[in-house]
Amino acid sequence: MRKPIVAGNWKMHNTVQESIALAKYIKDGIAGTEKTEIVLAPPFTALYSVSAVIKDTKISLASQNIFYEDKGAYTGEVAPGMIKDAGCTYAIIGHSERRKYFYERDEDVNLKVKKALATGLTPIVCVGETEEERVKDVTEFVVGVQVKKALFEINSLNNIVIAYEPVWAIGTGKVATPMEAEEVHRFIRGVLSEMYGSASTDIRILYGGSVTPENVGELIDMEDIDGALVGGASLKPDTFLGIIRKVSEKK
Ligand code: PEP
């Protein structure tokens, strides 16, 4: 049985005080959603403050990125140990915005996933095709390569979460249909099954891309969709709570 996850990626939004207020609102509104795991990913500057708000609750904390070295002269980067020290148990890795604006390659994603695991953080590994790739009908090829390269030389799927996020659906309001999403989730599980055998049945694969309380119900009804990575809607407290409640009702 795979416990569903709803993760909120706040991206580059919210001051420390705004982050604290949003986290408190979520914390106070999650009664009755025990079946769903909740992860919040505030900006780096608010991680420690949010960790204090969610202490002793079922809400977990994620960073939106990590670096793949433990320490050193890497101006502007944040080490996995520092992320953990700030209270995180998860790290989002390879988000399409990191790939697009900061030129993260699959090789970087792989180094980060390895370092996250070595540090005791659970990576949420993001993969997904662009609109152009979908139109060219190379979605499976692209996503398959991303998954294999992200997990290169990693010999267990323990403590790994995958997020399938079609780039064309992120922040656009153009959500994948439940079938479109399910097909890619099933494909990813198949790739993992070739790599890891039966362990692939337990890994959680989240869908991300314009998720709302209105569309999450049909997505979560799909067999291979185990939750949602939510961007824009996670900044609106009642909307995010609506997504969490819907997932809890359904799974
Ligand atoms: C995201 O950034 O991971 C995301 C899914 O964004 P949005 O929900 O805004 O499409």
Side-chain angles (χ1 to χ4, degrees):
M1 187 65 192
R2 303 187 295 264
K3 187 170 187 174
I5 303 180
V6 176
N9 172 14
W10 297 357
K11 309 194 187 194
M12 200 172 70
H13 294 286
N14 291 339
T15 61
V16 172
Q17 288 313 318
E18 288 163 347
S19 298
I20 290 172
L22 180 51
K24 278 189 179 152
Y25 196 95
I26 304 295
K27 178 174 96 167
D28 292 342
I30 55 171
T33 67
E34 287 69 26
K35 282 198 266 167
T36 305
E37 201 175 326
I38 300 165
V39 179
L40 301 180
F44 285 129
T45 47
L47 285 175
Y48 186 65
S49 312
V50 170
S51 81
V53 174
I54 61 176
K55 193 167 181 283
D56 299 327
T57 72
K58 67 155 186 163
I59 304 174
S60 303
L61 194 65
S63 63
Q64 300 173 17
N65 180 31
I66 54 167
F67 192 49
Y68 49 73
E69 294 290 351
D70 289 322
K71 59 167 85 167
Y74 301 105
T75 303
E77 291 296 333
V78 183
M82 297 169 179
I83 301 293
K84 202 171 169 204
D85 185 47
C88 290
T89 48
Y90 284 90
I92 297 173
I93 296 180
H95 190 281
S96 64
E97 287 153 15
R98 304 266 348 142
R99 295 177 189 256
K100 177 173 173 193
Y101 299 120
F102 304 99
Y103 309 108
E104 268 188 26
R105 305 157 306 157
D106 291 321
E107 290 73 15
D108 302 312
V109 172
N110 177 244
L111 290 174
K112 291 180 178 196
V113 172
K114 284 176 176 158
K115 188 55 87 174
L117 292 169
T119 311
L121 292 165
T122 297
I124 301 176
V125 186
C126 301
V127 297
E129 82 288 0
T130 62
E131 182 148 41
E132 196 186 348
E133 288 161 346
R134 177 157 281 264
V135 170
K136 282 192 189 147
D137 205 15
V138 291
T139 297
E140 291 193 353
F141 174 77
V142 169
V143 171
V145 168
Q146 287 174 338
V147 168
K148 284 182 196 150
K149 288 195 168 179
L151 301 181
F152 177 64
E153 288 179 340
I154 289 167
N155 49 27
S156 160
L157 283 179
N158 284 347
N159 297 324
I160 294 180
V161 174
I162 305 266
Y164 167 58
E165 300 206 298
V167 179
W168 49 269
I170 295 182
T172 59
K174 273 200 267 177
V175 64
T177 66
M179 256 336 281
E180 277 171 341
E182 170 63 12
E183 274 169 15
V184 182
H185 281 235
R186 197 182 306 137
F187 168 76
I188 293 172
R189 215 177 287 286
V191 170
L192 296 174
S193 160
E194 278 169 27
M195 295 171 76
Y196 298 95
S198 59
S200 61
T201 53
D202 293 333
I203 187 168
R204 291 176 293 179
I205 307 178
L206 314 182
Y207 167 80
S210 297
V211 171
T212 64
E214 291 72 37
N215 61 33
V216 75
E218 286 192 329
L219 287 160
I220 203 74
D221 273 343
M222 296 290 126
E223 194 181 328
D224 289 290
I225 300 183
D226 304 311
L229 179 52
V230 186
S234 71
L235 295 167
K236 300 180 200 135
D238 287 318
T239 309
F240 189 57
L241 283 172
I243 293 172
I244 296 168
R245 289 201 193 101
K246 193 54 132 246
V247 169
S248 290
E249 280 164 26
K250 290 274 187 168
K251 277 281 172 182

